Amino acid sequence: MVAPSLSTVGMVTAAVWTDIDGDGKKELVVTGEWMSTRIWKWNGRVFTELTHTGLEKLSGWWQTVVSADVNGDGRQDLVIGNIGENFYLRPSDSAPVKLWVNDFDQNGTVDQFLTRTVEGRDVPVFLKREITEQFPGLKKGNLKHSDYAKKSIQDLFAKPVLEQATERLFNYASSVVAINEGGGVFKVKRLPVMVQLSSVNAVLPTDVNGDGKVDLVAGGNLFTFPPQFGRLDASYGHVLLGNGKGDFQWVEQRSSGLNIKGQIKDIKDFQNPQNHLLLITQNDGKPQMIKVNTKGKTK
């Protein structure tokens, strides 16, 4: 097998080929949900994963990844879209959300159990009714809501069952730009706070205002969560102007002209001497073609 670790990488949402180490050969960058952004190098026979990249501890619900030299140093940087900081689950490194996967009730079906960390304990995310419908064997020991409310997953299931479970982490929610510092190492910087109000599903590196520096056009939103999680719908599309040093300034909607309320899934641009056009696609919505003028506004 040329890439054994890729076969168990996880729930991949995006990937990009780009030259990370400047040797003229492209590496494979993969990101997804319940995982960190990971990088594999091809040596002509097998893929070898790069370690100690500065990304390995950031396990997110990553939605997209693109590469561009955002600070003009000749190295390819990464822009990685995440679920955002305005989500019902707000994990951190010290208080992660966990997904436990196992046949918990020994009925031959693999189940998933979602917990979040509260005061150091792995407590269920879903309510008693939802959990006992999925696991009827828990009803007897949790007759009252007050009983269930006090329990962690360690209280609900025996230790051997949990030891056999596969455990996935979600400990980082921000969308970021990862600056390539050379040698396969990245410095992570959060994108502006307005971008963090919803998910970032798509990012296009491009020059919006014609100053020769890399800017970003991004979009997101996700409407498919259970009711108690709510919808991520606070994004109308983002224009981020780059300063050529790896920093980005968010442009107000009334100035950018970008106003798309749907679930943006991809952004592509088309340029010729006369026009700079953006093609934006959405779930359950029509594609939109938007013209960019020389002042960085869209219409």
Side-chain angles (χ1 to χ4, degrees), residues 223-288:
F223 301 164
T224 55
F225 294 110
Q228 63 266 44
F229 286 8
R231 303 198 325 173
L232 290 177
D233 58 5
S235 172
Y236 297 89
H238 305 287
V239 174
L240 303 169
L241 298 182
N243 65 357
K245 300 178 182 179
D247 298 313
F248 293 90
Q249 179 182 358
W250 181 79
V251 179
E252 292 186 15
Q253 181 189 342
R254 62 184 178 182
S255 298
S256 73
L258 202 58
N259 184 21
I260 299 178
K261 300 178 181 180
Q263 302 174 81
I264 294 176
K265 301 304 291 184
D266 203 1
I267 307 172
K268 301 294 184 185
D269 66 345
F270 304 90
Q271 299 188 50
N272 58 40
Q274 289 75 38
N275 292 300
H276 184 181
L277 303 175
L278 303 178
L279 176 62
I280 300 178
T281 58
Q282 311 170 72
N283 271 1
D284 301 319
K286 296 179 180 179
Q288 295 194 30

Side-chain angles (χ1 to χ4, degrees), residues 25-99:
K25 300 177 182 178
K26 292 183 177 181
E27 282 70 51
L28 176 62
V29 183
V30 177
T31 200
E33 297 180 354
W34 299 105
M35 61 179 287
S36 62
T37 301
R38 300 168 66 179
I39 304 171
W40 280 268
K41 185 175 182 61
W42 174 249
N43 66 8
R45 296 181 299 105
V46 295
F47 282 98
T48 303
E49 185 172 3
L50 301 184
T51 58
H52 307 294
T53 63
L55 306 174
E56 68 276 0
K57 295 182 180 180
L58 304 181
S59 183
W61 283 7
W62 304 105
Q63 303 297 307
T64 189
V65 59
V66 297
S67 68
D69 180 7
V70 301
N71 60 356
D73 64 358
R75 294 190 288 259
Q76 287 294 304
D77 310 299
L78 301 174
V79 183
I80 320 172
N82 208 344
I83 202 72
E85 300 169 6
N86 195 32
F87 188 40
Y88 174 78
L89 301 173
R90 299 184 181 183
S92 67
D93 186 50
S94 60
V97 172
K98 297 180 183 179
L99 182 67

